Amino acid sequence: MEENILECVIVGSGPSGFTAAIYAARADLKPVLYTGLEPGGQLTTTTEVDNFPGYPEGITGPEMMMDLQKQAERFETKVLYEMITKAEFSQEVGGVHKLWAGNKEILAKSVIISTGATAKYLGLDDEKKYSGGGVSACATCDGFFYKGKDVVVVGAGDTAAEEATYLAKLTNKVTLLVRKDHFRASKAMMHRVNTTPNIEVRFNHELIGIEGENSLVERAVVINNLTQEKSTIAVHGIFIAIGHKPNTDIFKGQITLDENGYIVTEPGTTRTNLPGVFAAGDVQDHIYRQAITAAGSGCMAAMDAEKYLAELD
Ligand SMILES: Cc1cc2nc3c(=O)[nH]c(=O)nc-3n(C[C@H](O)[C@H](O)[C@H](O)COP(=O)(O)OP(=O)(O)OC[C@H]3O[C@@H](n4cnc5c(N)ncnc54)[C@H](O)[C@@H]3O)c2cc1C
C-alpha cells in the first residue's frame, strides 16, 4: 500500500496557523491544518480586536478568525478539527515526519508548528467572571481601553514590569502587586518601574478577589500576606502578568526548546533545529505575542517550508 505523505501539515489554528495555510495553499503545498482544542486560537476568547490592520472599525476576535479560516479554505486548505497528540520528527533532510491525532498516524514532509502559548492566571473564579470585563493578560492588546483610569498589575518578573510601565503611559495610576518582598525582574526593568511616578508597588500583596457590577471590574480585593489585612483598590482594569506557557509539551525531547519551553528558531527565519520543521506565532515568540506578528511569522513559515521542499526536488 502506498503511504500518503503530505507536503505540509500545520498544527494550530490561530493567526499564524491560518496565515501559514493561506501561503502554503497558494504555493500548492496542499496543506492540512489541525485546529486543536481551540479552533481559531486565543483571539476567539476576546471581544474587540482594534489593532489588526485592515479592519478600520475593529472586529471581534471570533469573526476575524472565521475570516482567516475562510480565506485559507478558499485556497483548499484542508481543516481538520482534531488535536495532534504525539510527534516523531525525522532528523534527516528529506525525512518523513510522523504525527498522531489519537490513533491516526500522519506522515508529512514538512510541519509548521503554530500551537501558540497560553497566558497563566492565578486560578481565581473571579478572573473568569470578569474576563472581558476588565481582566486581561495583555497590556498591548487592552491597555488602550483604560486610558486615564486606574489599573492593577499582578506579577514580579520582567513581564509584569513591562506591562506596568507600558500601562503607566496610558493610565492614571498603576498599582503593581508583588507577592514576595522583592522583584524577580531584571535590574533595568526594576529601575524603570521605580522611576515611573504613577506606579505604586505593593510588596507582599496578593490579589484574592475582584468586585464589580454587571461583570465589569470596579475593585481589586487584595491581602497583605504579612499582616493578613484585606483591602480593596478601586480600579477598572486588572492585568495578570505572571507569564505564559508555550504549548510545546508534545514536542519536548524532539525539538530544541528554550528554558521556558518556547521553540527555538534560527534568527530571522522560522527554521527549527530539525530539517522540514518550522515554528510560527506565539509558540516561538515570547516578546511580541500579537496577532499581526503571529500572522507575519506564519507567512514566513510557509515560505520557509516551500523553499525547503523545492530544494528537495
Ligand atoms: C484575551 C486575549 C486578547 C488578545 N487581544 C489581542 C489583540 O487585541 N490584538 C492582538 O494582536 N493580539 C491579541 N491577543 C494575542 C493574540 O491572540 C496572540 O498573539 C495570537 O493569537 C497568537 O497566535 P498563534 O497563531 O501563535 O496561536 P494561538 O492563537 O495561540 O493559537 C494556537 C492554536 O494552536 C492549537 N493547538 C495547540 N496545541 C495543539 C495540538 N496539540 N494540536 C493541534 N492544535 C493545537 C490551538 O487549538 C489553537 O488553535 C490576545 C490574546 C488574548 C488571550
Side-chain angles (χ1 to χ4, degrees):
M1 190 180 82
E2 196 183 309
E3 287 179 310
N4 182 20
I5 304 175
L6 301 168
E7 292 288 303
C8 180
V9 167
I10 299 166
V11 188
S13 54
S16 65
F18 278 131
T19 305
I22 293 165
Y23 277 77
R26 295 186 80 248
D28 207 24
L29 302 187
K30 300 181 175 52
V32 176
L33 181 148
Y34 286 83
T35 65
L37 295 181
E38 192 175 51
Q42 293 175 59
L43 281 185
T44 59
T45 67
T46 191
T47 46
E48 286 305 303
V49 179
D50 269 342
N51 55 8
F52 199 89
Y55 293 104
E57 303 303 326
I59 183 160
T60 70
E63 276 178 294
M64 187 182 127
M65 292 317 300
M66 277 191 286
D67 279 353
L68 273 175
Q69 176 163 351
K70 275 190 218 147
Q71 197 174 349
E73 287 178 326
R74 186 176 135 218
F75 301 110
E76 295 181 11
T77 299
K78 191 170 174 186
V79 177
L80 297 175
Y81 293 87
E82 293 172 50
M83 167 109 177
I84 297 298
T85 47
K86 187 177 153 193
E88 249 176 51
F89 294 124
S90 167
Q91 309 270 340
E92 315 269 313
V93 173
V96 175
H97 304 295
K98 291 183 184 172
L99 299 168
W100 283 264
N103 293 329
K104 185 175 80 178
E105 191 183 61
I106 304 142
L107 305 178
K109 291 185 196 169
S110 71
V111 176
I112 296 174
I113 301 174
S114 286
T115 48
T118 309
K120 292 183 195 164
Y121 286 90
L122 301 166
L124 304 172
D125 287 342
D126 284 344
E127 285 170 319
K128 286 194 201 110
K129 184 173 167 192
Y130 292 94
S131 157
V135 173
S136 170
C138 177
T140 314
C141 311
D142 297 328
F144 181 81
F145 302 118
Y146 303 95
K147 260 187 172 173
K149 297 184 175 165
D150 290 358
V151 298
V152 150
V153 174
V154 179
D158 278 337
T159 307
E162 266 172 39
E163 302 272 276
T165 48
Y166 178 87
L167 287 165
K169 289 191 208 115
L170 296 170
T171 62
N172 177 52
K173 182 182 173 188
V174 177
T175 306
L176 178 58
L177 302 180
V178 178
R179 189 156 51 98
K180 297 195 174 158
D181 62 359
H182 59 271
F183 284 117
R184 273 188 301 104
S186 63
K187 276 198 177 139
M189 283 311 301
M190 274 162 47
H191 179 73
R192 275 178 65 190
V193 168
N194 290 329
T195 53
T196 305
N198 61 339
I199 299 180
E200 181 196 344
V201 183
R202 292 201 194 173
F203 290 108
N204 293 112
H205 274 75
E206 296 176 37
L207 180 76
I208 55 167
I210 299 166
E211 293 175 351
E213 291 282 323
N214 304 322
S215 297
L216 292 176
V217 170
E218 289 179 6
R219 285 171 299 278
V221 184
V222 303
I223 188 167
N224 177 327
N225 57 27
L226 293 180
T227 62
Q228 303 308 315
E229 192 188 333
K230 290 182 189 165
S231 57
T232 57
I233 307 170
V235 286
H236 285 92
I238 297 180
F239 289 81
I240 311 295
I242 55 174
H244 285 73
K245 183 184 181 306
N247 300 319
T248 51
D249 285 355
I250 59 166
F251 307 116
K252 262 183 201 153
Q254 293 273 322
I255 196 163
T256 303
L257 305 177
D258 73 9
E259 67 279 12
N260 296 314
Y262 286 87
I263 296 177
V264 176
T265 49
E266 270 177 48
T269 79
T270 60
R271 287 196 293 267
T272 68
N273 64 311
L274 298 170
V277 182
F278 306 89
D282 288 11
V283 75
Q284 52 84 58
D285 169 20
H286 60 95
I287 298 173
Y288 299 104
R289 287 198 297 255
Q290 291 295 290
I292 186 67
T293 48
S297 67
C299 155
M300 288 166 65
M303 292 176 72
D304 287 343
E306 195 279 327
K307 184 165 181 281
Y308 167 80
L309 293 168
E311 281 169 2
L312 294 180
D313 288 342

